[in-house]
Amino acid sequence: MVKTSLDRKFDQIKKREEEKSFSIKKRSRIVSKFLNNRLAVVGLIIFTIIILASLFAPLLSPYDPMRVDLRSMRQAPSFDHWFGTDSTGRDVFTRVLFGGRVSIFIGLGSAILSAVVGIAVGCYAGYKGGWIDVIALRISEIFMSFPQIILVLLLVSITGQSLFNLMAIFILTGWGGMYRLARARMLSLREEEYVQALRSFGLSTFTICYKHMLPNALSPIMVNITLSTAMFILTEAGLSFLGLGVPLNIPTWGNILNVAQDILILQNYWWMWGPVGLVISVFVLCVNFIGDGLRDSTDPSQQG
Amino acid sequence: MKKEILKLRDVKVYFPVKAGVFNRTVGHVMAVDGVDLDIYRGEVLGLAGESGCGKTTLGKAILRLVEPTNGEVTYVSKEDDETELTSLEKKDMDPFRKKLQIVFQDPHSSLNPSFTIFGSLQDPLKKFGVNSKEERRKIIGDLLEAVNMRREYMDRYPHEFSGGQRQRIGIVRALCLDPELIVCDEAVSALDVSIQAQVLQLLMQLKKDNNLTYLFITHDLSVTEYLCDRIAVMYLGRIVELCDSEDLYKNTLHPYSEALISAIPVADLDKKTKRIVLEGDVPSPVNPPKGCPFHPRCPKAKDICKTEVPTLKKYSTNGNEHYASCHLIDLPEIS
Ligand SMILES: Nc1ncnc2c1ncn2[C@@H]1O[C@H](COP(=O)(O)OP(=O)(O)OP(=O)(O)O)[C@@H](O)[C@H]1O
Ligand code: SF4
Ligand SMILES: [Mg+2]
């Protein structure tokens, strides 16, 4: 058969289509959708800047966040002290940078650890069902209905304030939400036929639910991790502001904000609390933008 | 001489129906309600019936994907060793899981979207002792070629394939441990008619090449005639007729099968058949009707049908065994 030029053209198009349609990977679609979301990208950029600035704080600031300098107390922002100095002469900008380390560590760390606990329990219980599921569900309800602030007060009065205690409380009260999310996903996934197929090979429960099913449950969980990071950072700030959070000698965003309890400072020295408050708000907002972007880009029902 | 590969005796699968605040069991869905069935080595046994009559559940019960509430499923090996499967511990099932496999209905949920084909198929192979990666790749590659796909496809994700291709990958998965019996659960119903034919042909080819036995589940009696050696017709969790596929069409005994067959579209316009339209829906398997479960819809129902449950009896048509459960069959019963 003689090939006309049209035939050849079709062959080319077909070849190109085959190559193209097969080179597009699932991941790249999610990434490109995320990148199309302006707010999420802006959020991601600012988020990265704040995290990098906190990590490399010693390079960015010549001051020690803890060193008291009584000669330069309560100075307004200047070229030397971008955010001014506090009542004991410490550079507020430096403290915000170093405080970011701890605050972000607490927020992200608690969110990730509670996700790990929630996923570990939720996947297994959701897949297995039966009495394991019922018990896990009741336990999570107990933890979720426990008021955080009372837990904090209790633990602070028993063991004293510490970073570890605060994180432990965040995880205790936070894993329930993650657990429910993971469980709900598993309940719908376990009826999928590929799961039935794996079961028909008699693969172990662990392999089936953690290796084969979990990746398909991850995207809502990722969204939830970002959102709870924001929430934990806010809660830490709130608790530290009240003096119940991280011990005051460790700089965190909440502890820096703590000085605003003094009405004198609140009225006269705005730089001691204003910038840090702004940083907290911006950071939390960015994390929320990222979360929203992730949700939109991974939600299969919104695929365009 | 026909030899059994699987013997089902009085298999029942009941799902509890829960309701109320305390999640109490208020009744049971009798999805499979006392099935006796022998499947012979090397045959294609069709399992037909309306949606919801329990075909999938019966198939899953054979593989113990759902636990039978009652009854026995006995596997007979090539050497005539019999093993009752439902009473085995989970881990003792493993040698039989290799022999019994399933191909699913829905090509969209039958493959894991997060893994490449190789990624999701390699774990079963690993579990059954294929330890080197090269060997696993070779097995899967060979099977892909056996179903007319390219070897390289094993490194692609499911979303890159069409429905027909996915279904063939599902077949690869069922074949990868060299099984003896495959439950094909409406393996082609979700596909285009042209692709259906392709996949069916492939299935028959594979059967010949690998000495397979099929339990071929379908709700479409027009496909089964050419594929199946025997056909079992199911209604509300029970088998109502079981015979050679030719006899089912020529010497139909049960009114329900008659109705199903009359519903098959005929290409030949001259051949006028009277279509029997079944009235009403399939009754709920939670509260099946008293007497013959088919009586509310049966065009031939008599008084006896409302009170007495017909049992599956053995008759002979065309010199072949022919089982049916209906009060109104005027053939001599064979013991
Ligand atoms: N896990 C379950 N829990 C409760 N009821 C179930 C479950 N699985 C199936 N059923 C019920 O059992 C009955 C038989 O279902 P089954 O899926 O076996 O039907 P089927 O013949 O395969 O139908 P289809 O042709 O639609 O696939 C249905 O009434 C169904 O609602
Ligand atoms: S027993 Fe009666 S109701 Fe049932 S199929 Fe036969 S004739 Fe119909
Ligand atoms: Mg079905």
Side-chain angles (χ1 to χ4, degrees):
Chain A
M1 202 178 83
V2 187
K3 280 201 170 175
T4 63
S5 68
L6 210 59
D7 276 338
R8 271 194 297 274
K9 255 183 212 158
F10 265 118
D11 281 351
Q12 270 174 7
I13 293 174
K14 220 168 135 190
K15 202 172 138 207
R16 227 175 292 153
E17 255 182 1
E18 259 187 5
E19 279 164 7
K20 210 172 107 208
S21 71
F22 287 135
S23 68
I24 297 174
K25 288 272 170 322
K26 194 178 103 205
R27 305 267 177 268
S28 74
R29 193 177 58 207
I30 292 175
V31 171
S32 71
K33 247 196 127 177
F34 184 85
L35 292 181
N36 275 338
N37 184 334
R38 292 249 173 79
L39 275 182
V41 173
V42 171
L44 188 65
I45 292 173
I46 301 181
F47 174 86
T48 319
I49 292 176
I50 294 181
I51 286 195
L52 286 180
S54 301
L55 279 180
F56 296 111
L59 302 179
L60 295 179
S61 151
Y63 303 101
D64 180 336
M66 314 290 267
R67 227 196 61 200
V68 176
D69 181 0
L70 294 178
R71 273 168 304 171
S72 50
M73 269 164 41
R74 299 183 177 175
Q75 286 179 359
S78 64
F79 194 72
D80 281 341
H81 300 286
W82 291 1
F83 290 179
T85 58
D86 69 4
S87 306
T88 49
R90 296 174 295 193
D91 181 55
V92 176
F93 180 68
T94 313
R95 284 177 65 77
V96 170
L97 288 184
F98 279 90
R101 288 180 164 188
V102 183
S103 288
I104 296 171
F105 174 74
I106 291 180
L108 207 58
S110 312
I112 290 177
L113 284 178
S114 47
V116 168
V117 177
I119 290 170
V121 181
C123 279
Y124 194 82
Y127 173 67
K128 269 282 174 190
W131 59 269
I132 295 182
D133 188 37
V134 174
I135 291 176
L137 194 63
R138 294 291 164 264
I139 294 179
S140 83
E141 274 163 4
I142 293 172
F143 277 107
M144 283 171 79
S145 59
F146 221 88
Q148 219 172 32
I149 195 116
I150 293 183
L151 256 183
V152 174
L153 280 173
L154 261 175
L155 253 169
V156 165
S157 61
I158 297 170
T159 60
Q161 273 172 294
S162 85
L163 203 130
F164 173 78
N165 284 351
L166 196 68
M167 283 184 73
I169 290 165
F170 282 168
I171 294 167
L172 277 183
T173 52
W175 71 274
M178 302 282 193
Y179 157 78
R180 287 169 158 250
L181 205 64
R183 171 182 179 268
R185 280 297 289 154
M186 291 317 249
L187 281 185
S188 69
L189 283 179
R190 76 174 180 195
E191 299 303 328
E192 299 263 313
E193 289 175 347
Y194 67 85
V195 178
Q196 305 278 328
L198 291 170
R199 285 183 52 210
S200 79
F201 288 113
L203 291 185
S204 73
T205 306
F206 273 85
T207 319
I208 295 180
C209 75
Y210 293 119
K211 180 172 174 192
H212 289 265
M213 291 169 77
L214 182 57
N216 297 311
L218 270 188
S219 58
I221 293 173
M222 295 290 283
V223 175
N224 205 311
I225 289 179
T226 56
L227 299 185
S228 5
T229 303
M231 193 192 71
F232 286 141
I233 286 177
L234 279 182
T235 317
E236 184 274 328
L239 287 172
S240 297
F241 177 77
L242 295 175
L244 294 170
V246 180
L248 268 180
N249 56 5
I250 305 174
T252 72
W253 287 344
N255 279 344
I256 300 170
L257 210 55
N258 184 276
V259 294
Q261 277 185 340
D262 186 340
I263 190 75
L264 195 75
I265 291 178
L266 191 64
Q267 284 176 339
N268 300 325
Y269 306 107
W270 58 267
W271 61 84
M272 289 191 201
W273 50 265
V276 70
L278 194 69
V279 169
I280 296 177
S281 308
V282 168
F283 188 80
V284 166
L285 209 60
C286 287
V287 173
N288 279 321
F289 286 155
I290 297 175
D292 287 345
L294 269 183
R295 185 179 53 219
D296 293 348
S297 59
T298 54
D299 184 353
S301 65
Q302 293 194 9
Q303 224 121 75
Chain B
M1 181 62 210
K2 288 197 289 188
K3 282 206 313 199
E4 292 97 350
I5 180 167
L6 214 56
K7 294 195 267 191
L8 313 191
R9 291 291 173 268
D10 197 26
V11 173
K12 291 180 180 161
V13 183
Y14 291 176
F15 296 109
V17 181
K18 303 208 164 147
V21 191
F22 297 106
N23 229 5
R24 272 216 315 261
T25 305
V26 293
H28 287 97
V29 181
M30 301 170 192
V32 176
D33 198 8
V35 165
D36 293 299
L37 188 62
D38 289 340
I39 303 177
Y40 297 111
R41 223 166 244 286
E43 77 170 339
V44 179
L45 174 62
L47 185 61
E50 276 168 296
S51 192
C53 69
K55 308 179 295 285
T56 301
T57 310
L58 181 63
K60 285 185 177 171
I62 291 175
L63 303 180
R64 280 184 74 187
L65 289 176
V66 297
E67 292 294 332
T69 320
N70 180 37
E72 292 177 358
V73 177
T74 309
Y75 167 80
V76 188
S77 75
K78 280 190 188 123
E79 294 78 31
D80 287 328
D81 297 326
E82 300 199 352
T83 321
E84 210 283 300
L85 299 181
T86 56
S87 56
L88 288 181
E89 291 287 320
K90 276 255 148 71
K91 56 177 192 306
D92 297 332
M93 269 297 284
D94 284 349
F96 304 100
R97 298 208 187 264
K98 272 181 76 164
K99 318 249 170 172
L100 312 174
Q101 270 302 315
I102 181 163
V103 176
F104 289 99
Q105 178 168 8
D106 178 8
H108 294 284
S109 90
S110 68
L111 298 173
N112 191 338
S114 300
F115 286 84
T116 60
I117 305 310
F118 177 72
S120 46
L121 292 193
Q122 69 162 336
D123 275 354
L125 287 174
K126 245 191 244 173
K127 172 176 171 159
F128 286 97
V130 187
N131 288 323
S132 86
K133 189 171 174 190
E134 280 67 52
E135 206 173 327
R136 291 197 292 271
R137 290 188 73 85
K138 181 172 180 312
I139 292 177
I140 294 170
D142 288 349
L143 282 171
L144 278 172
E145 277 175 0
V147 301
N148 308 328
M149 290 175 75
R150 282 202 249 143
R151 276 194 118 73
E152 303 85 75
Y153 287 3
M154 75 172 96
D155 293 316
R156 297 190 174 158
Y157 287 88
H159 71 96
E160 298 172 40
F161 296 107
S162 68
Q165 287 175 317
R166 284 165 186 239
Q167 206 57 312
R168 281 185 272 162
I169 294 168
I171 296 172
V172 166
R173 173 174 57 204
L175 285 175
C176 73
L177 292 174
D178 204 7
E180 294 175 1
L181 175 110
I182 298 186
V183 176
C184 301
D185 185 4
E186 316 222 14
V188 297
S189 336
L191 305 178
D192 278 348
V193 179
S194 59
I195 301 172
Q196 272 190 11
Q198 247 178 38
V199 175
L200 286 176
Q201 216 164 30
L202 174 71
L203 278 171
M204 290 308 133
Q205 186 60 43
L206 291 169
K207 173 182 179 296
K208 218 163 43 178
D209 297 345
N210 300 293
N211 298 320
L212 296 170
T213 307
Y214 287 152
L215 177 61
F216 197 89
I217 298 178
T218 176
H219 59 251
D220 179 4
L221 272 177
S222 65
V223 194
T224 41
E225 185 174 1
Y226 307 101
L227 293 177
C228 303
D229 302 312
R230 291 190 306 151
I231 298 180
V233 178
M234 234 178 138
Y235 187 76
L236 273 189
R238 288 171 216 200
I239 288 182
V240 294
E241 184 158 5
L242 168 66
C243 58
D244 282 14
S245 58
E246 203 178 322
D247 288 328
L248 184 73
Y249 296 90
K250 291 199 179 125
N251 306 307
T252 320
L253 291 184
H254 199 280
Y256 178 62
S257 318
E258 239 172 81
L260 286 185
I261 290 167
S262 78
I264 301 172
V266 209
D268 188 354
L269 285 178
D270 299 330
K271 194 173 134 196
K272 287 238 169 66
T273 48
K274 203 175 91 228
R275 179 147 183 213
I276 306 168
V277 180
L278 288 179
E279 313 240 319
D281 278 332
V282 187
S284 143
V286 182
N287 278 315
K290 296 250 164 5
C292 173
F294 187 50
H295 85 255
R297 302 168 76 198
C298 181
K300 296 184 181 165
K302 298 271 174 338
D303 280 345
I304 179 177
C305 305
K306 293 184 184 140
T307 48
E308 279 184 43
V309 187
T311 51
L312 199 63
K313 292 192 189 112
K314 190 171 174 182
Y315 305 95
S316 167
T317 53
N318 236 349
N320 299 318
E321 290 179 344
H322 194 143
Y323 298 84
S325 70
C326 172
H327 292 305
L328 303 186
I329 298 172
D330 49 356
L331 284 175
E333 193 189 336
I334 299 171
S335 53

